[in-house]
Amino acid sequence: MHYNGTAMNLSIDDFDYELPSDLIAQHPSETRSGSRLLCVGASLAGRRFSELPRLLDAGDLLVFNDTRVIKARLAGEKSSGGRAEVLIERVLSEREALAQVRASKPPRPGSAMRLADSIDVRVLAREGEFYRLRFPDGAAVFELLERHGSVPLPPYIARAPQTADERRYQTVYARAPGAVAAPTAGLHFDEPLLAALAARGVQFAYVTLHVGAGTFQPVRVKDLAKHRMHGERYDIPPATVAAIEAARKRRSKLVAVGTTTVRCLEASAAVHGAPVAGEAETDLFIIPGFGFRVVDQLITNFHLPRSTLLVLVSAFAGIEPVRKAYRHAVEQRYRFYSYGDAMLVDRPPRD
């Protein structure tokens, strides 16, 4: 990857901050576009998300991640009788999936579990932090999850999923099922806001990156250069590549909706020099010093301390501007994390 070398001695400790627990949003805002929006550039400015059309120019290109969250959480028990909770990481085929399994004792390859009182699965193998599971013949994994699973709310939302979460923990433009965590920057967009953006002359394009459970995995090494990201599959349609090329020709801004969109576009550009159409897998870890090629502005939520997502935003906007923005957000009592408020972040001018 193209890094300028300034970040190779950074520690994950450089991306820590204190957050009062009562600022962690436990429920979404009353309306999607009613959340707050902190603009982070040469200065800080507090707005409402519904003001976004005024902050973009005609011809600017918004790129969304259209992945759809699946009901990836299943409760059950092992054949030995112990309780188990399964969180699907990735559906591999109609019968197999990778999953996190929480149980008093790790399940062994060859052992069985009964999930949702009706689904008998077999543990085929352990693959790193995940388990490869074989589901029974009959309905496909996606169908079983839709029928028996629950919404995989993040661990910092300290309540059980409710019926409303099936709608609110999903973007209004979600299309391709496969994510086990929402691309949360997109949760702020509703149909009236999309219509207002279109009327403004803002262009839309889409990528697909299925967010995995690994997005919540902590960074376990201090030296950022030694951290290895979980892999995620992405797909860039030909129409999106064409839209990006057209935006570049008219010198319009490319605005990524969410860190997953940034990873998708910049991963493709890191390999090919510019985004290219097609499917691929990336384990790209974007840290300060990374040379961004594609994205000019980023819409994103406020992220956990010591997380790879906070590192990415700091790489995009600069470590000190992001620290200042987060201090301001805490002081002004913005709402944090998946159901929280958002930022519109400028990329500093190139030297």
Side-chain angles (χ1 to χ4, degrees), residues 98-170:
L98 279 182
Q100 294 180 358
V101 178
R102 292 178 59 187
S104 55
K105 291 183 180 178
R108 295 181 178 179
S111 63
M113 292 185 289
R114 170 160 281 197
L115 306 177
D117 294 325
S118 60
I119 308 169
D120 293 314
V121 303
R122 186 160 297 279
V123 179
L124 298 180
R126 178 145 194 185
E127 299 186 6
E129 297 183 29
F130 303 109
Y131 294 85
R132 182 181 286 258
L133 304 180
R134 169 79 184 186
F135 282 71
D137 293 340
V141 174
F142 278 132
E143 296 173 46
L144 291 171
L145 293 175
E146 184 62 29
R147 198 179 307 156
H148 301 285
S150 62
V151 177
L153 291 179
Y156 45 74
I157 293 182
R159 61 175 177 81
Q162 300 167 353
T163 303
D165 293 307
E166 295 183 16
R167 179 175 55 88
R168 291 300 300 270
Y169 195 63
Q170 193 83 267

Side-chain angles (χ1 to χ4, degrees), residues 240-261:
T240 296
V241 173
I244 292 170
E245 292 172 353
R248 285 286 173 258
K249 285 180 181 176
R250 61 178 180 263
R251 304 198 172 195
S252 296
K253 296 190 299 293
L254 189 147
V255 185
V257 179
T259 56
T260 57
T261 300

Side-chain angles (χ1 to χ4, degrees), residues 12 95 331 333:
I12 193 60
R95 299 286 172 266
E331 290 167 3
R333 298 193 61 78

